[in-house]
């Protein structure tokens, strides 16, 4: 069949007189084509939605265990959940910039970040009883609605929306850093900093919070889209952990933002 290709038929190596050379050239051509083709893992070793869900459930289970530990040690060992927040941030950066996903690092992030989430949740609960249950329910609702809309095809990631999302994320990150700096150097003594500033009678934190929840929901769409594309492209199974990590980061971010929104709303009562 190779002789049907004009590129081969014009080559003397494929003539009857060049039998030996033809065999050598065909072999070299085949090797080159094999080298250029992307590696496709065998069946059963590619990404699948079902196993990604199973791994996500395991990671979130570990997160809950860590959260329970952080919750019960908030008063006796406050340094534990504060230190866990720092370690969790470092692990997040390592997982983000690592070329290939590491199950151990993703699970370590889940456990350590769970301690931080449990500790800060207990701190908020001590100030505003009942706020954690409200935040958990609100987070589950946002995740569930986003997943349902994505599964039904009513929302999808797009290049334009993703650009807007990235710009908004950078802007929000800059605002958060500036606000943290003002609070750190006692420029403002309010526990929420600039977020407590009223805009038309509404705390800035509540206004920002609505937009941040929308951004987090779109971030979930990007996570779901990544998993869907990975399954469609038969990506290696190890990249399921990238999907797990992405969903976990987004859900934790969403929960903490909702928790803070509720705290700001109740502080004005």
């Amino acid at each position: 069949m190779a002789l049907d290709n004009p590129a081969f038929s014009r080559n003397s190596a494929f003539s009857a007189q060049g039998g030996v050379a033809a065999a050598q050239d065909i072999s070299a051509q085949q090797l080159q084509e094999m080298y250029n083709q992307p590696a496709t893992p065998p069946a059963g070793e590619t990404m699948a939605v079902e196993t990604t869900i199973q791994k996500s459930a395991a990671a979130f289970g570990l997160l809950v265990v860590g959260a329970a530990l952080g919750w019960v040690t908030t008063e006796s060992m406050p340094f534990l959940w504060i230190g866990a927040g720092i370690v969790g941030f470092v692990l997040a950066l390592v997982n983000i910039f690592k070329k290939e996903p590491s199950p151990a690092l993703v699970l370590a992030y889940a456990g350590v970040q769970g301690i931080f989430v449990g500790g800060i949740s207990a701190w908020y609960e001590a100030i505003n009883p009942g706020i954690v249950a409200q935040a958990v329910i609100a987070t589950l609702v946002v995740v569930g609605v986003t997943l349902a809309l994505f599964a039904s095809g009513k929302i999808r990631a797009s290049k334009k929306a993703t650009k807007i999302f990235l710009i908004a994320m950078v802007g929000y990150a800059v605002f958060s850093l500036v606000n943290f700096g003002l609070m750190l150097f006692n420029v403002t003594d309010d526990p929420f900093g600039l977020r407590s500033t009223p805009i038309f009678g509404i705390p800035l934190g509540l206004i920002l919070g609505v937009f941040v929840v929308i951004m987090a929901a779109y971030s979930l769409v990007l996570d779901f889209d990544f998993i869907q594309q990975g399954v469609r492209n038969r990506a290696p199974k190890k990249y399921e952990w990238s999907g797990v990590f992405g969903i976990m980061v987004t859900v934790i971010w969403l929960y903490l933002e909702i928790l803070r929104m509720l705290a700001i709303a109740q502080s004005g009562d």
Side-chain angles (χ1 to χ4, degrees):
M1 290 186 292
L3 295 179
D4 293 334
N5 190 326
F8 293 112
S9 61
R10 290 195 298 266
N11 194 325
S12 59
F14 294 93
S15 63
Q17 291 83 2
V20 176
Q24 293 174 343
D25 283 352
I26 291 174
S27 177
Q29 181 69 19
Q30 290 174 339
L31 288 173
Q32 185 62 37
E33 289 178 355
M34 292 174 60
Y35 177 81
N36 290 336
Q37 288 179 351
T40 302
E45 296 184 13
T46 58
M47 285 185 66
V49 174
E50 294 77 9
T51 48
T52 302
I53 292 175
Q54 293 170 4
K55 291 174 180 177
S56 297
F60 275 101
L62 187 58
L63 177 77
V64 172
V65 172
L69 177 61
W71 182 283
V72 299
T73 59
T74 303
E75 294 185 0
S76 60
M77 294 186 292
F79 60 87
L80 180 63
W81 67 270
I82 295 174
I86 298 173
V87 174
F89 177 73
V90 173
L91 285 173
L93 293 178
V94 172
N95 279 295
I96 289 171
F97 292 105
K98 200 173 185 303
K99 290 184 178 181
E100 294 188 353
S102 168
L105 288 176
V106 173
L107 293 174
Y109 170 80
V112 171
Q113 197 70 353
I115 296 174
F116 169 71
V117 169
I120 198 170
S121 296
W123 181 79
Y124 273 109
E125 184 72 14
I127 301 173
N128 302 295
I131 193 174
V132 171
Q134 297 172 19
V136 169
I137 293 173
T139 301
L140 292 176
V141 168
V142 173
V143 173
V145 170
T146 304
L147 178 58
L149 291 175
F150 181 84
S152 65
K154 294 182 178 180
I155 55 173
R156 282 289 183 268
S158 67
K159 291 183 178 180
K160 183 177 181 180
T162 302
K163 287 181 180 179
I164 297 173
F165 167 78
L166 292 175
I167 294 172
M169 279 293 296
V170 171
Y172 182 68
V174 171
F175 168 81
S176 298
L177 288 174
V178 171
N179 189 50
F180 177 75
L182 294 176
M183 295 168 62
L184 183 64
F185 294 104
N186 296 321
V187 177
T188 173
D189 56 357
D190 191 280
F192 300 106
L194 295 177
R195 288 185 170 87
S196 297
T197 304
I199 304 294
F200 300 111
I202 304 174
L204 178 61
L206 293 182
I207 300 173
L208 282 177
V210 173
F211 288 104
V212 172
V213 168
I214 295 173
M215 286 194 298
Y218 185 75
S219 181
L220 276 174
V221 172
L222 292 177
D223 295 331
F224 298 152
D225 184 70
F226 169 84
I227 295 171
Q228 187 180 69
Q229 291 292 338
V231 172
R232 184 181 296 118
N233 296 335
R234 297 179 57 79
K237 202 170 190 63
K238 60 185 177 183
Y239 287 104
E240 291 177 345
W241 287 104
S242 296
V244 172
F245 174 70
I247 291 176
M248 180 163 292
V249 169
T250 302
V251 172
I252 292 173
W253 172 40
L254 174 64
Y255 168 75
L256 293 177
E257 290 291 345
I258 291 177
L259 191 63
R260 180 161 50 197
M261 277 182 64
L262 293 173
I264 293 174
Q266 295 184 20
S267 66
D269 295 340

